Amino acid sequence: MKKLVEKHPLAIRWFHWVNFPVLALMIWSGLWIYWANDIYRLGWGDTTLYKFFPQSFYDATHLDHKLAQGMAWHFLLMWVFFLNGLLYVLYTLFSGEWRYLLPNRHSVREAIEVTLHDLGLRKAAPPVQKYNGAQRIAYTAVIVMGLGSLLTGLAIYKPTQFGWLTQGLGGYEAARVEHFVLTVGYVLFFIVHVAQVGRAGWNNFRSMVAGFEMEEVPAPAVGAGGPVLTQRQPDARV
Amino acid sequence: MTQEVTPSPENPIPPGSSPDAALDREATRRTRRSFIGLGLAGLGGVLGWRYLLGRPDADGTPAPFRRVMDANSRLTAAYFRETRLAPEFAKSLAVREVRTNGDAGLQSPLDLAAWRLAVQPYGGGNAREFTLADIKALPRIEMTTQLKCIEGWSIIVNWAGTRFVDFLARYPLATRSGQPIKDIANPPADLAPYVSLVTPDEEYYVGLDMHSAIHPQTLLCYEINGQPLSLEHGAPLRLVTPLKYGIKHLKRIGTISFADTRPDDYWAEQGYDWDSGH
């Protein structure tokens, strides 16, 4: 028989879905800004493996000649990105959700097991819990990355008044590179995240919108009562 | 927490149906409600964003974006301290070939010998004129700082000139009462809040807040790498302020004046932040 299990609190779902378009627009307006001085590449010496970005990318996206607009969007949405992230962190702290999200001493081993399993190199699936080790590491890392984007962004935005920060990050040019690399990190996170959501299926995706998951449970003994609504108990291992 | 689903008008369990079917109905109801909610929130977001973009322009950008830029500037101004300096570098790190970017205001012919800097006193009256020799008679400051272009590139440049604040200390033209600035941390109360700099042909013009203008690293510059400025770098006199992006480093200064409100600014009129400060 089935059981309806509460998975994601409403607040977490809001933070998640507000962040999605805001971060997307931050990246998009960031590309408008980056276009004005698009010097980064992967490579060494005269060898370039990949240039950020090839002309074909600009031709397809029309993100050229929008520097002023890009800065205007970026410096408005930065507030939404910052406040949403701050409220999320405060919520997880005060609600106790951090217990499911922060990596613990099992997370690295678990993350390796999960990765091997997902790549088809390991048969045994890791035990089901709210977030496995790989998720704990990824979801915590992306919050740290968010903080990194705020700090490197501030270091580029106000390099004299926040000179201590800019110098601490290795200087103005270095902070700009770091800001860019973090953005590439979000894009990679997004690709893996969407692929994993696709693999996990409808039930899991729905839980990020509606908050609950349906679970199959063994039928209870006769007379033990009907279907149940349960709140997932905190993981025993925390 | 475990609770039984009890039959209710909202969630009836018809006689004879299985418990799973009741749960499925509950799940469908919540799913539908949540996805409609998400859809409406998304629609609201799109409409709200379109509304923002459709607001009347304020200098090349929709007014709400301009207001946020200005609010960011006020926040920065509240945090601003003239004692915080832009980093300086060893002279050997300065580039030999200083990049140029744009020649607005430099396209008119210029007779260097006839050039004068005109300064309109804040208190009113006739403009005062200065020769380059007058500027060079003031203390010479050399500094090697990073020039940051708003496009995103930066270069380290060796500059020399006189501090704008030293100019104002010698020629107290920025106060209504005519008193000089003795201490930049405690300037006279009647100091003008804004400075305007314009090229001789009035094709390029920038506005600065007075705090940035009297910062110890804001120079009336006449040398790069120990050499007099070339025409393309703004001969005979240009502004250098590592507190601002390159767009504020006006070349070939013609007129300086003071104002109570933000002076016109070439790039701010095209959608850029008026402050463009660091």
Side-chain angles (χ1 to χ4, degrees):
Chain A
M1 66 174 289
K2 288 178 181 171
K3 190 171 70 161
L4 194 150
V5 182
E6 300 295 338
K7 191 174 181 194
H8 298 299
L10 183 65
I12 298 260
R13 286 178 269 149
W14 269 101
F15 293 132
H16 175 271
W17 288 112
V18 167
N19 187 64
F20 174 56
V22 169
L23 182 57
L25 286 175
M26 283 303 276
I27 293 174
W28 196 246
S29 56
L31 288 171
W32 287 351
I33 297 169
Y34 172 73
W35 168 85
N37 182 40
D38 58 339
I39 53 169
Y40 297 147
R41 67 194 178 105
L42 288 175
W44 59 91
D46 293 332
T47 310
T48 298
L49 298 176
Y50 184 76
K51 178 187 183 291
F52 297 97
F53 292 92
Q55 189 55 42
S56 56
F57 179 77
Y58 292 123
D59 291 343
T61 51
H62 302 294
L63 47 75
D64 54 313
H65 295 91
K66 296 191 183 76
L67 173 59
Q69 208 179 333
M71 295 178 88
W73 286 32
H74 217 64
F75 300 144
L76 183 154
L77 287 171
M78 67 178 186
W79 289 111
V80 186
F81 179 72
F82 164 62
L83 289 173
N84 191 56
L86 179 70
L87 290 175
Y88 169 82
V89 170
L90 290 176
Y91 175 82
T92 51
L93 285 181
F94 286 108
S95 67
E97 281 287 314
W98 63 270
R99 289 191 182 84
Y100 309 115
L101 284 157
L102 273 189
N104 57 31
R105 62 204 162 87
H106 306 289
S107 293
V108 172
R109 179 178 50 76
E110 245 177 59
I112 294 169
E113 289 170 8
V114 170
T115 309
L116 291 176
H117 175 74
D118 289 352
L119 294 174
L121 299 172
R122 185 176 188 273
K123 265 214 167 119
V128 175
Q129 47 179 318
K130 184 159 184 174
Y131 298 116
N132 63 46
Q135 286 176 301
R136 283 171 182 265
I137 290 171
Y139 298 159
T140 300
V142 85
I143 295 303
V144 175
M145 284 163 64
L147 179 65
S149 288
L150 289 173
L151 293 177
T152 54
L154 191 58
I156 309 168
Y157 188 40
K158 301 293 167 192
T160 300
Q161 294 304 315
F162 290 96
W164 53 272
L165 179 62
T166 312
Q167 296 314 301
L169 291 166
Y172 181 75
E173 293 287 344
R176 190 171 182 263
V177 174
E178 289 152 13
H179 200 67
F180 186 83
V181 169
L182 284 165
T183 309
V184 174
Y186 295 125
V187 175
L188 297 178
F189 176 93
F190 178 77
I191 293 169
V192 175
H193 187 57
V194 169
Q196 291 285 24
V197 169
R199 275 172 54 107
W202 166 249
N203 200 25
N204 171 72
F205 175 71
R206 179 178 57 186
S207 71
M208 202 61 220
V209 178
F212 68 89
E213 262 183 5
M214 296 298 271
E215 276 186 11
E216 283 296 334
V217 289
V222 177
V228 284
L229 279 169
T230 61
Q231 179 96 36
R232 188 187 290 275
Q233 296 303 308
D235 300 333
R237 302 210 305 212
V238 174
Chain B
M1 184 190 75
T2 302
Q3 71 180 75
E4 297 201 2
V5 173
T6 48
S8 66
E10 208 178 66
N11 189 26
I13 298 182
S17 78
S18 75
D20 275 5
L23 255 190
D24 279 340
R25 275 195 302 279
E26 163 75 358
T28 306
R29 192 180 64 81
R30 279 187 61 177
T31 304
R32 190 169 51 222
R33 200 175 54 184
S34 297
F35 273 87
I36 289 172
L38 181 67
L40 288 177
L43 188 66
V46 170
L47 291 178
W49 190 246
R50 285 177 61 105
Y51 171 79
L52 284 184
L53 293 178
R55 301 303 296 153
D57 262 16
D59 291 333
T61 194
F65 291 87
R66 177 65 65 192
R67 277 201 294 278
V68 172
M69 273 190 242
D70 292 346
N72 290 342
S73 297
R74 284 194 296 277
L75 202 58
T76 310
Y79 182 70
F80 181 93
R81 295 290 173 273
E82 42 283 304
T83 47
R84 296 201 189 99
L85 302 179
E88 299 201 16
F89 300 82
K91 193 176 174 180
S92 60
L93 292 174
V95 292
R96 305 311 311 164
E97 291 295 322
V98 179
R99 183 169 169 178
T100 57
N101 211 30
D103 58 0
L106 303 181
Q107 287 159 315
S108 317
L110 177 74
D111 177 0
L112 278 174
W115 174 89
R116 297 287 183 277
L117 169 66
V119 181
Q120 193 73 49
Y122 183 46
N126 293 334
R128 293 275 304 272
E129 292 201 338
F130 299 89
T131 63
L132 187 58
D134 294 331
I135 307 295
K136 286 187 167 176
L138 294 164
R140 180 181 181 276
I141 297 291
E142 190 176 332
M143 67 181 189
T144 305
T145 54
Q146 200 171 33
L147 173 70
K148 301 177 188 73
C149 179
I150 201 160
E151 293 173 355
W153 52 268
S154 62
I155 47 175
I156 295 172
V157 186
N158 174 258
W159 318 96
T162 190
R163 287 182 181 131
F164 188 56
V165 68
D166 287 345
F167 174 83
L168 289 182
R170 173 73 181 77
Y171 303 104
L173 299 167
T175 50
R176 286 201 189 279
S177 58
Q179 57 175 315
I181 301 168
K182 294 198 183 87
D183 172 12
I184 58 171
N186 293 296
D190 63 341
L191 185 66
Y194 295 103
V195 185
S196 167
L197 298 99
V198 184
T199 56
D201 63 4
E202 301 184 355
E203 290 290 323
Y204 197 82
Y205 37 93
V206 301
L208 288 183
D209 58 283
M210 185 56 86
H211 284 294
S212 299
I214 63 174
H215 185 276
Q217 289 173 310
T218 298
L219 304 186
L220 298 173
C221 163
Y222 43 76
E223 285 175 17
I224 286 178
N225 289 330
Q227 298 297 314
L229 292 180
S230 64
L231 281 174
E232 61 175 356
H233 283 303
L237 192 68
R238 67 174 295 175
L239 184 76
V240 168
T241 173
L243 304 189
K244 306 278 180 187
Y245 283 118
I247 52 173
K248 293 282 191 186
H249 292 52
L250 182 123
K251 296 170 177 172
R252 194 192 286 184
I253 306 173
T255 306
I256 296 177
S257 57
F258 305 97
D260 293 317
T261 55
R262 286 178 168 186
D264 290 344
D265 189 277
Y266 183 90
W267 288 105
E269 288 171 0
Q270 301 186 37
Y272 289 89
D273 179 21
W274 186 91
D275 195 57
S276 286
H278 289 148

